[in-house]
Amino acid sequence: MNVLLTRPLLQVEELQSMVTKSGNKPLLFPTLKLNSIDAKVENNYYDVIIFISVNAVEYGLKILKTISYHKIFAVGSATARKLSENDIEIDDFPRKKASSEALLALDSVAQLYHKTILIFRGQSGREVLKQGLIKQNNQVEYVEVYERVNHNINSLHRQSLDELLSRNEGVISITSIDSMKLLVKISSQILDVDRLKNYLLVVLSDRIKTYVNSIGFNKVLVTPNTSNNGIISVLTNLNTLDKPVKYS
């Protein structure tokens, strides 16, 4: 089965390999590029450090080495694993679901009061985590260590769409709302986007599902978790089903 992958090329290698090993064919369709930002922090010590994504770890390690801290948290298992791979000890992270809401719900985070907190993230993004921490009378700062840039259309996009559409079955993997918006934008320069609505979208969260439903994509499955393994588990189930999939 063809699987269209919309992650940035620098971020997709592991998932691409896992899709191949699962017996499916990955088709690369990068919607975003990631560029590092020459960022600085205001202080040399923080009570708490939080990494909001794997990319935040990738681009933020250089800065982390220049500051001291007491505790460190990750938004989910993939981010925690990236920190561990770089020999950084994590105090806690949500085990079941990677999200700001899940992080705030942890007892260890709910107990943070009157702390100085530094959040590593990409440029812009949701404010849920910062607002939640401020309500607990914490002093919260961002250090934005990378930016997302729209990917220009190229021959790879055309080739991948041609191959996806050459068969009636296939899956499109969507890992963010921004990726979905850019999938539509780039694809509209190549074909009638309505043709993509015949294909199943595999998304990482109910929030993404709500958005794709709102623009007319109704064949959607949400992964059981936000890791690459969550995506692969959905693909594996699809390959073993002998009856039509029920979409919600």
Side-chain angles (χ1 to χ4, degrees), residues 51 56-65 83 86 88 120:
F51 281 90
V57 179
E58 181 74 27
Y59 292 98
L61 285 176
K62 184 177 179 180
I63 292 176
L64 183 67
K65 293 176 181 178
L83 288 165
N86 286 277
I88 298 169
F120 282 78

Side-chain angles (χ1 to χ4, degrees), residues 8 20 33 91 95 103 130 148 158 175 181 214 241:
T20 300
K33 293 188 293 183
D91 286 276
R95 266 64 176 179
L103 184 60
K130 182 177 182 179
R148 303 173 186 85
R158 298 179 186 276
T175 54
K181 290 178 179 178
S214 74
L241 286 174

